[in-house]
Amino acid sequence: MRSLQDAEPAVFWWDDDAAPEPLPCLTGDADAELVIIGGGFAGLWTAVRARERGVDGPIVLLEADRCGSRASGQNGGFCAASLTHGAPNGWARWPTEMPVLERLGEDNLDGIETTVDRYGIDCDFHRPGALDVATEPWQVAELAERSEMPSPTGATSVLLDTEQVQAALASPTYLAGLWEQRTTALVEPARLAWGLRAAALSLGVDVHEGTRALGVGDENGRVTVRTEHGTVRARQAVLATGTAPPLLRRLSLMTVPVWDYVLMTEPLNPAQMASIGWADRQGVGDSANLFHYSRLTRDNRVLWGGYDAVYHYASGRDERFGQRPETFTLLARQFAEAYPQLADVVFTHRWGGAIDTCTRFAAFYGLALSGRLTYAGGFTGLGVGTTRFAADVMLDLLGGVTTERTSLSMVRRRPTPFPPEPARSLGIALTKRSLAKADATGGRRDLWLRTLDRAGLGFDS
C-alpha cells in the first residue's frame, strides 16, 4: 500500500536527536546496597524511588541494552491511573479492594506528574484522559454500563452519544464514547525513560548499560548478579526484566510475550486536523475485544496500533518479530476505514514490540532468596503508569514492612500461570479466535471464553 511504502522499520520515539549517549557497561566486580536488574520503567522508577525514600548506600542498575529500549520505550505512551487494567477487570477480581486500588492508582499518576515536574523531564506529559469508543451497537450498551460504575475517588466520566462522539473525534465508525477525564496521561515513552535515567544518575545511582545479567544467586547472605563483565554483590536486589527471559525458574510460566504493532503517520496539516476534530487530544481506544488504540503526538502525528496481538510458540522473543508486514497492511487498511478523511496520509514509522502478559492482566509481585530479592511482572500493556506503583511495592517488600500496598490481595496473591507448551500456544490461539468471534457476534462469549471467565483467566490485545 502506498501509505506504507516509505515507512521506516523503526520505533518513532527513538528516532529523536534527544536520545542520550549509551552509558558504559560494568567493568569488574561491584558491591552495593541495592542492585536493580533491568533499565525499563520498573527498574528506573525503583532506582529513583529508592533514593527518594532514603536508601543511602550504593545502588547499581544493570541494563542489557539501553534504558527504555524495549517495551518501556516502544509503546503508545498511554499512562493510566488504573492499576487493574481498567475498572471492569478490577471490580471483577478485587471488588472489596477497588476503592483503595482506585485511590492508590490516582495518587500514583499524580506522583508521576510531580516527578516529571521535579526533574524537568521533557516528555510531553499531559492529562487529557481516555476516550473509549463503540464501533458496534453491543459496545454502546457496555459503555453505558461502565459509565454507571461507582467511582470511589469521584473521577469524572462523560458518556457521549453518536453526535457528541463525532464532534469529539470524527469517524464514521464511532457510535458512542465514554470520556474518562484526567485518569489517563499521555507521554513520549522513550523521553520519559531517558528522563528517569537522568534523574537516577543525578541521585547517585550507578547505571550500566550494555550489561546483561546472566544469573542471580545467594552467596554468604548477599545477592549475587553475574554478568559478562563482572559480578555485583548486594544486600538486596530487584528483578525488573519485563519481557526478557526470567532469571528465576518460578517465573518461567508466569508471563508470555505478546507482540503488539504500531504505525505512526506524518504530521497532519491544519486542514487534516480540522477534518477529524480531536480538540481535547484524548488517548483513544475502541471497545472491541481485539481493539485499536490511537493518540496524537505533540507535532500532530497519529499513532495507530493494536488489534493483531501475536504470540509466538515457546514464548518467542526474536527481535525480528517486531516487523510483520501483514499486520502493518491490516492496520493501515483499518486506519483508512476509521478515518477516511485521512486516507491520503502516509506512515513514516512501523514497529512492533513484546508486552509481558499475565493471566489476570494486572501486575504481580513476590520475594525470593530469603526475602533479599523482589520482583514484579505481568504489566500487560499498562506498565507506563503502574511501574511506579510497582517500584514502591517492591521497596516495601524488601523493607519487610506492612503497608497499605503490601496488604492488598492483588499484591499478596499471584495469578494462575500459563500452561507449558504445546498447551500454551493452543490455549492462546483458541482464546484469540473466540475473542474475534465474540466481536463478530454482538459480544456473545462462547463456551471457551465463559470457561476462562469462571477460572479467572483471560487474554486480550
Side-chain angles (χ1 to χ4, degrees), residues 198-246:
L201 291 170
S202 74
L203 295 169
V205 177
D206 295 321
V207 180
H208 297 284
E209 297 182 324
T211 305
R212 183 179 303 278
L214 303 177
V216 296
D218 191 341
E219 183 181 289
N220 299 322
R222 305 277 285 180
V223 180
T224 60
V225 182
R226 293 183 296 103
T227 79
E228 298 172 315
H229 311 290
T231 298
V232 179
R233 294 174 176 83
R235 190 174 72 87
Q236 294 179 321
V238 167
L239 184 60
T241 52
T243 58

Side-chain angles (χ1 to χ4, degrees), residues 364-453:
F364 60 87
Y365 310 88
L367 287 164
L369 302 183
S370 301
R372 288 187 289 274
L373 180 146
T374 186
Y375 55 83
F379 294 97
T380 317
L382 286 205
V384 179
T386 55
T387 43
R388 181 186 180 276
F389 177 81
D392 277 320
V393 169
M394 291 188 286
L395 292 169
D396 289 348
L397 292 173
L398 285 179
V401 294
T402 300
T403 67
E404 188 175 39
R405 289 180 290 260
T406 60
S407 299
L408 294 166
S409 61
M410 184 185 74
V411 171
R412 292 184 287 106
R413 299 176 182 174
R414 300 202 303 172
T416 302
F418 288 92
E421 294 290 13
R424 187 189 320 161
S425 288
L426 178 61
I428 291 174
L430 285 173
T431 303
K432 187 174 179 181
R433 186 180 69 179
S434 292
L435 289 171
K437 179 181 175 183
D439 285 339
T441 57
R444 289 190 293 274
R445 299 175 74 80
D446 62 14
L447 177 61
W448 176 253
L449 293 180
R450 295 197 302 272
T451 301
L452 293 180
D453 292 340

Side-chain angles (χ1 to χ4, degrees), residues 238-406:
V238 167
L239 184 60
T241 52
T243 58
L247 295 175
L248 294 176
R249 181 177 297 178
R250 71 180 65 179
L251 300 180
S252 60
L253 296 178
M254 296 306 298
T255 65
V256 297
V258 174
W259 291 78
D260 184 46
Y261 296 89
V262 182
L263 298 175
M264 185 71 83
T265 74
E266 63 186 344
L268 303 188
N269 61 41
Q272 291 165 334
M273 285 296 300
S275 74
I276 60 171
W278 218 342
D280 294 300
R281 306 180 73 87
Q282 308 97 322
V284 178
D286 67 55
S287 302
N289 291 296
L290 303 180
F291 65 92
H292 301 92
Y293 55 87
S294 55
R295 59 161 293 185
L296 291 169
T297 65
R298 69 169 93 189
D299 61 347
N300 289 336
R301 298 169 185 263
V302 180
L303 178 145
W304 174 260
Y307 188 81
D308 194 21
V310 178
Y311 171 77
H312 294 277
Y313 188 84
S315 294
R317 295 177 172 88
D318 192 321
E319 286 302 309
R320 290 175 295 183
F321 295 150
Q323 291 298 317
R324 197 165 190 267
E326 60 269 39
T327 294
F328 296 133
T329 299
L330 175 64
L331 284 173
R333 183 179 300 116
Q334 292 167 335
F335 178 82
E337 292 169 354
Y339 306 118
Q341 64 271 52
L342 302 180
D344 292 334
V345 171
V346 301
F347 299 100
T348 61
H349 295 75
R350 52 182 168 87
W351 73 93
I355 296 171
D356 63 329
T357 302
C358 71
T359 58
R360 71 181 189 190
F361 304 129
F364 60 87
Y365 310 88
L367 287 164
L369 302 183
S370 301
R372 288 187 289 274
L373 180 146
T374 186
Y375 55 83
F379 294 97
T380 317
L382 286 205
V384 179
T386 55
T387 43
R388 181 186 180 276
F389 177 81
D392 277 320
V393 169
M394 291 188 286
L395 292 169
D396 289 348
L397 292 173
L398 285 179
V401 294
T402 300
T403 67
E404 188 175 39
R405 289 180 290 260
T406 60

Side-chain angles (χ1 to χ4, degrees), residues 37-320:
I37 307 168
F41 285 140
L44 291 166
W45 276 118
T46 303
V48 171
R49 293 296 295 142
R51 280 291 191 240
E52 292 178 340
R53 289 172 50 147
V55 176
D56 292 326
I59 299 176
V60 175
L61 185 149
L62 306 174
E63 163 56 37
D65 192 352
R66 302 273 298 279
C67 289
S69 61
R70 293 295 185 263
S72 295
Q74 298 181 354
N75 59 80
F78 287 65
C79 186
S82 176
L83 304 174
T84 61
H85 212 280
N89 188 53
W91 284 105
R93 297 181 188 277
W94 304 287
T96 61
E97 292 184 347
M98 274 301 285
V100 175
L101 286 165
E102 293 207 349
R103 172 174 53 80
L104 290 175
E106 292 186 31
D107 289 347
N108 180 65
L109 185 55
D110 290 341
I112 294 172
E113 185 170 14
T114 298
T115 301
V116 169
D117 290 340
R118 177 184 301 140
Y119 296 103
I121 300 174
D122 179 14
C123 64
D124 194 31
F125 182 101
H126 57 294
R127 293 175 71 162
L131 176 64
D132 291 341
V133 297
T135 57
E136 296 290 342
W138 64 271
Q139 298 166 16
V140 176
E142 286 196 352
L143 289 183
E145 290 178 8
R146 280 180 50 195
S147 72
E148 296 175 356
M149 280 188 166
S151 175
T153 65
T156 57
S157 61
V158 180
L159 186 65
L160 307 177
D161 61 22
T162 302
E163 182 178 352
Q164 291 167 326
V165 76
Q166 291 287 333
L169 178 55
S171 167
T173 65
Y174 294 167
L175 306 179
L178 182 64
W179 181 11
E180 296 181 338
Q181 300 174 318
R182 295 278 302 168
T183 54
T184 295
L186 296 176
V187 301
E188 295 170 347
R191 280 186 171 229
L192 177 58
W194 303 336
L196 290 174
R197 187 188 82 151
L201 291 170
S202 74
L203 295 169
V205 177
D206 295 321
V207 180
H208 297 284
E209 297 182 324
T211 305
R212 183 179 303 278
L214 303 177
V216 296
D218 191 341
E219 183 181 289
N220 299 322
R222 305 277 285 180
V223 180
T224 60
V225 182
R226 293 183 296 103
T227 79
E228 298 172 315
H229 311 290
T231 298
V232 179
R233 294 174 176 83
R235 190 174 72 87
Q236 294 179 321
V238 167
L239 184 60
T241 52
T243 58
L247 295 175
L248 294 176
R249 181 177 297 178
R250 71 180 65 179
L251 300 180
S252 60
L253 296 178
M254 296 306 298
T255 65
V256 297
V258 174
W259 291 78
D260 184 46
Y261 296 89
V262 182
L263 298 175
M264 185 71 83
T265 74
E266 63 186 344
L268 303 188
N269 61 41
Q272 291 165 334
M273 285 296 300
S275 74
I276 60 171
W278 218 342
D280 294 300
R281 306 180 73 87
Q282 308 97 322
V284 178
D286 67 55
S287 302
N289 291 296
L290 303 180
F291 65 92
H292 301 92
Y293 55 87
S294 55
R295 59 161 293 185
L296 291 169
T297 65
R298 69 169 93 189
D299 61 347
N300 289 336
R301 298 169 185 263
V302 180
L303 178 145
W304 174 260
Y307 188 81
D308 194 21
V310 178
Y311 171 77
H312 294 277
Y313 188 84
S315 294
R317 295 177 172 88
D318 192 321
E319 286 302 309
R320 290 175 295 183

